[in-house]
Amino acid sequence: MKKQLSTGVRLSLTAALSVAMLAGCSSNNNEPAKNDTSAAANTNTEAAADNTTNAANTTENAAPAEQFYYDMYDKVTDSSDFPDWKGKQLKLKLWYSHGTGEPTHNSAEQDVVTPEAKRVTGVEIDQENSFDNGGQDLNVKMGMLNAANDWPDVVMSSDTSALAELVKAGKVYDLTEVISKYAPNLAKRTPFDKLPKVLENITIKNLDGKTYGFPLELGDPDNTLKVLDPSFVSPNSQQAPDGMGSIWVRDDLLKKLYPTAKTQDEIDALYVKNGGKFSKEELYDVPLKTKDDFYKFLYDMQALIKKENIKENGKPVETTYAFGGGDNWSTLTMLQTYLNRIPANNNYFTYYDKKTKEIEFMFQQEWFKQTLLEFNKLVRDKVMDPKSLLENQATHTEKMNNGQYAVAYLWDTPDESVLKAAGKKYRYRKVFLDSPANTDQFISPAGPSGNNQTILIFKDKVAEEDLPQIIHYLDYMVSEVGEKMYTWGPRSAGLFDEKDGKRVFKDKDLEDAMVYNKDNGANNKYNLHNNRLGSSSKQWPPYPTYMWGGSTVTPSYAYERVLSPADGLSFFNPGNLPNNSTSTITTTI
């Protein structure tokens, strides 16, 4: 009986799903035969003794046994040290099924990644014939491929439910044995016992206990590295202590209330002067500790604005707002949890309560209702602008970027470039409450570290004898050497100088892109991987990578940064104090 895809797409051409099992693995696994270094037994021991000297000379002059890159990971530190691949060349047609696809695909002008991976492994992604969903929904695209029986060689996908249809239809290989045999780096860097979510994904939610996918692009690096290395502390948390956030305050108005408070320009200068570090005293230069302190601060700000009749472009300045122009998440989750000292990743819908040991509805709790009553009073007293309750996103953003709110929070930070272009002399800076997270009642939950992408290999298109070479290629790409190759470029590409184990990019634009996450296109020029940048989504074709955001061997973590005042805005953060990063308190559930 023929199997068929149950995609929900109304296509009746199911005969295309009939799959004939291909031949078993060849004896050489499609890899160059390794030299046989064993000595043939000589039955004539007397003759062997007479020729001892000749045999020794022959051994000394014999060519050394050929080495294969997959046996050399403990001997090299850069991909350029690997030998050239001398076996079969494979070009894989890839279907990138994430999202609906990109309207444009950018090719690297000086691609240093694809040629190097091909040189080492004999495998490359077919740039010309690979494809994405072409603006279609994944299931629609799958139905079209099914109808035409035009499957690619491999699919890279983040949709486990869609992959399950391919498995049920018998379209893709069971990779359990070949991954176990040919992927030592995967086993080392992605231990399934520590990352059960990954195992769940590649077994397609444990469909039948077999492994069908090769896991790629591990999730959030800080949390994943915390699982893999408990001593890891993010070098740039970019979040407040325990993830509780901050508020943003116009520094000119803050200075009027607290003369010793720093402006953002002063913070930037201090960042460079202190070598990128801030003391606790420097971070908490505004003496706010409790929710009541915060409310008093708002009323004091309102009185200041009224007393000095502060306006922007003739428009009144308000203290703050009660609605973010499109969503109440910023107020009810972020501002509320900030004031109640609730750790990150808890929201007004649900949270885990350590006291009751149950998942609770936050909006039903008396302390949550009390906070909303306090917000209601702020609206009635016009500390929170009543008009904000009726404003759409466009109006809200316009007021923010005109400096018409003294205090902002969450993602509603005014655009610095707009303020600067308008000639504003002030900036917005972070202000924190100087009090610890309430860990007696709350945890900072994070889902188990999983992977964002999985590769499956189609039986229709790939010969079974080629599986070892493909798995070796994927394993190379998730190795430390491979990850360094596509984030730094191979040494042979000449993109960096290296001294005493420290690498420095020669091209300042490339340094800005790969280290400081400036989306200037320099990384795309060389096809280097940094998916912290929006433009990276247009790189074509996508290739296998180890971790979203990069592990500790990538420039984002390994680089000796040149301190710049521009970074002070991000690094002025209690999360960068010793043992105070979000990853320190996070509980994996």
Side-chain angles (χ1 to χ4, degrees):
M1 180 180 294
K2 295 182 177 66
K3 299 178 182 179
Q4 58 184 350
L5 295 170
S6 55
T7 61
V9 181
R10 296 178 179 178
L11 297 171
S12 60
L13 299 179
T14 59
L17 291 176
S18 180
V19 181
M21 292 303 293
L22 297 173
C25 292
S26 62
S27 60
N28 64 2
N29 291 325
N30 195 34
E31 300 171 358
K34 296 186 179 182
N35 292 336
D36 184 3
T37 58
S38 63
N42 191 333
T43 56
N44 190 335
T45 56
E46 184 176 343
D50 290 342
N51 290 297
T52 299
T53 302
N54 292 335
N57 291 335
T58 301
T59 301
E60 289 177 1
N61 296 327
E66 185 176 355
Q67 287 189 301
F68 294 84
Y69 75 91
Y70 44 76
D71 295 326
M72 299 173 60
Y73 287 109
D74 60 342
K75 301 175 183 177
V76 305
T77 58
D78 189 271
S79 180
S80 299
D81 297 329
F82 282 137
D84 292 349
W85 177 258
K86 297 179 181 178
K88 185 176 181 180
Q89 298 293 313
L90 299 176
K91 181 177 283 190
L92 301 178
K93 181 178 178 181
L94 179 142
W95 169 26
Y96 183 64
S97 71
H98 180 72
T100 57
E102 291 288 341
T104 58
H105 292 156
N106 296 333
S107 300
E109 299 174 24
Q110 301 177 39
D111 187 352
V112 301
V113 174
T114 305
E116 177 66 6
K118 179 182 178 182
R119 182 192 72 80
V120 173
T121 70
V123 179
E124 65 177 311
I125 304 297
D126 187 341
Q127 179 175 348
E128 183 178 353
N129 295 305
S130 294
F131 57 92
D132 59 21
N133 286 334
Q136 304 285 343
D137 174 81
L138 167 58
N139 287 332
V140 173
K141 185 66 175 180
M142 184 180 289
M144 295 169 64
L145 295 173
N146 174 35
N149 194 27
D150 186 23
W151 301 102
D153 298 313
V154 297
V155 58
M156 186 185 297
S157 180
S158 59
D159 190 321
T160 306
S161 61
L163 299 183
E165 301 304 321
L166 295 172
V167 172
K168 293 173 184 177
K171 295 298 299 178
V172 295
Y173 280 109
D174 170 5
L175 302 178
T176 307
E177 291 188 11
V178 286
I179 284 180
S180 175
K181 188 174 181 180
Y182 301 114
N185 291 296
L186 179 66
K188 176 183 177 181
R189 304 191 81 200
T190 314
F192 299 149
D193 60 334
K194 294 183 179 179
L195 302 170
K197 185 66 176 177
V198 175
L199 184 61
E200 177 184 324
N201 289 343
I202 63 177
T203 56
I204 318 303
K205 294 186 177 179
N206 201 30
L207 198 62
D208 56 14
K210 298 177 182 178
T211 298
Y212 293 93
F214 193 104
L216 301 169
E217 203 175 88
L218 295 189
D220 169 61
D222 284 6
N223 193 46
T224 304
L225 289 170
K226 177 187 174 183
V227 172
L228 297 175
D229 179 6
S231 67
F232 171 79
V233 176
S234 173
N236 53 331
S237 169
Q238 309 264 327
Q239 295 190 43
D242 310 332
M244 291 183 296
S246 62
I247 57 171
W248 297 80
V249 184
R250 267 183 54 168
D251 59 8
D252 61 330
L253 302 182
L254 182 66
K255 198 86 169 176
K256 289 176 180 290
L257 289 178
Y258 301 97
T260 60
K262 295 179 287 295
T263 65
Q264 186 58 51
D265 287 345
E266 291 171 333
I267 290 171
D268 292 348
L270 190 61
Y271 172 76
V272 176
K273 179 182 177 182
N274 288 358
K277 306 293 183 181
F278 293 101
S279 67
K280 183 175 180 180
E281 292 71 26
E282 290 166 340
L283 290 162
Y284 296 108
D285 60 337
V286 180
L288 303 179
K289 291 183 177 292
T290 67
K291 183 166 59 173
D292 289 340
D293 290 342
F294 174 74
Y295 291 152
K296 181 180 184 304
F297 161 70
L298 292 182
Y299 279 97
D300 289 346
M301 182 67 74
Q302 182 188 47
L304 171 69
I305 293 170
K306 183 177 181 180
K307 177 183 178 181
E308 299 193 7
N309 192 26
I310 299 172
K311 295 183 178 182
E312 286 294 320
N313 297 336
K315 299 178 180 180
V317 170
E318 306 290 345
T319 305
T320 190
Y321 48 89
F323 182 66
D327 197 342
N328 59 17
W329 188 266
S330 59
T331 305
L332 299 188
T333 287
M334 302 308 295
L335 182 61
Q336 180 271 136
T337 57
Y338 165 77
L339 294 176
N340 288 316
R341 315 315 287 151
I342 301 173
N345 301 322
N346 294 275
N347 61 66
Y348 64 86
F349 293 116
T350 58
Y351 73 101
Y352 176 77
D353 195 306
K354 291 172 68 175
K355 293 182 177 179
T356 65
K357 301 187 186 308
E358 298 283 347
I359 300 293
E360 304 283 3
F361 290 111
M362 187 179 292
F363 60 83
Q364 293 180 347
Q365 308 306 309
E366 289 303 315
W367 48 265
F368 179 85
K369 296 175 184 178
Q370 177 60 38
T371 302
L372 265 59
L373 285 174
E374 293 160 3
F375 288 173
N376 183 271
K377 184 177 188 304
L378 293 176
V379 171
R380 288 186 280 109
D381 290 345
K382 297 184 179 181
V383 173
M384 283 182 164
D385 182 10
K387 296 188 295 294
S388 69
L389 296 171
L390 303 175
E391 292 170 348
N392 60 24
Q393 185 66 51
T395 301
H396 176 72
T397 301
E398 180 183 2
K399 292 174 71 171
M400 292 289 291
N401 289 339
N402 189 41
Q404 287 178 246
Y405 287 122
V407 178
Y409 43 91
L410 190 59
W411 52 68
D412 296 317
T413 316
D415 188 327
E416 279 223 326
S417 64
V418 175
L419 295 175
K420 185 175 181 180
K424 308 293 185 182
K425 302 301 182 182
Y426 55 80
R427 298 169 67 186
Y428 282 75
R429 57 151 287 185
K430 298 173 188 174
V431 172
F432 312 96
L433 289 188
D434 184 9
S435 54
N438 179 0
T439 55
D440 291 336
Q441 185 172 1
F442 304 96
I443 64 171
S444 179
S449 296
N451 55 300
N452 293 304
Q453 300 291 340
T454 301
I455 274 193
L456 279 73
I457 304 175
F458 284 87
K459 294 178 181 177
D460 296 31
K461 299 296 183 178
V462 174
E464 191 170 0
E465 66 182 28
D466 292 335
L467 290 181
Q469 185 176 352
I470 294 173
I471 297 301
H472 273 311
Y473 159 73
L474 295 174
D475 193 56
Y476 160 76
M477 295 298 283
V478 302
S479 69
E480 283 196 2
V481 176
E483 188 180 17
K484 287 166 67 177
M485 184 275 290
Y486 56 73
T487 56
W488 294 91
R491 188 193 310 113
S492 59
L495 299 181
F496 58 83
D497 291 319
E498 187 168 10
K499 184 178 180 181
D500 298 329
K502 299 293 184 180
R503 295 180 170 188
V504 177
F505 284 113
K506 297 178 181 180
D507 184 339
K508 181 61 168 63
D509 287 339
L510 188 57
E511 179 183 73
D512 284 344
M514 296 304 297
V515 180
Y516 302 105
N517 300 319
K518 296 181 180 179
D519 206 351
N520 57 20
N523 61 306
N524 293 337
K525 176 181 178 180
Y526 300 104
N527 203 21
L528 297 187
H529 182 76
N530 184 0
N531 54 9
R532 298 171 188 262
L533 305 178
S535 66
S536 66
S537 64
K538 295 181 172 59
Q539 287 179 292
W540 191 259
Y543 50 78
T545 60
Y546 173 61
M547 181 178 289
W548 196 101
S551 78
T552 54
V553 303
T554 63
S556 293
Y557 289 96
Y559 213 83
E560 285 196 355
R561 293 169 177 260
V562 176
L563 298 181
S564 166
D567 293 328
L569 189 65
S570 295
F571 285 85
F572 186 73
N573 191 317
N576 289 314
L577 291 173
N579 302 315
N580 206 36
S581 72
T582 302
S583 61
T584 303
I585 194 175
T586 296
T587 301
T588 301
I589 57 175

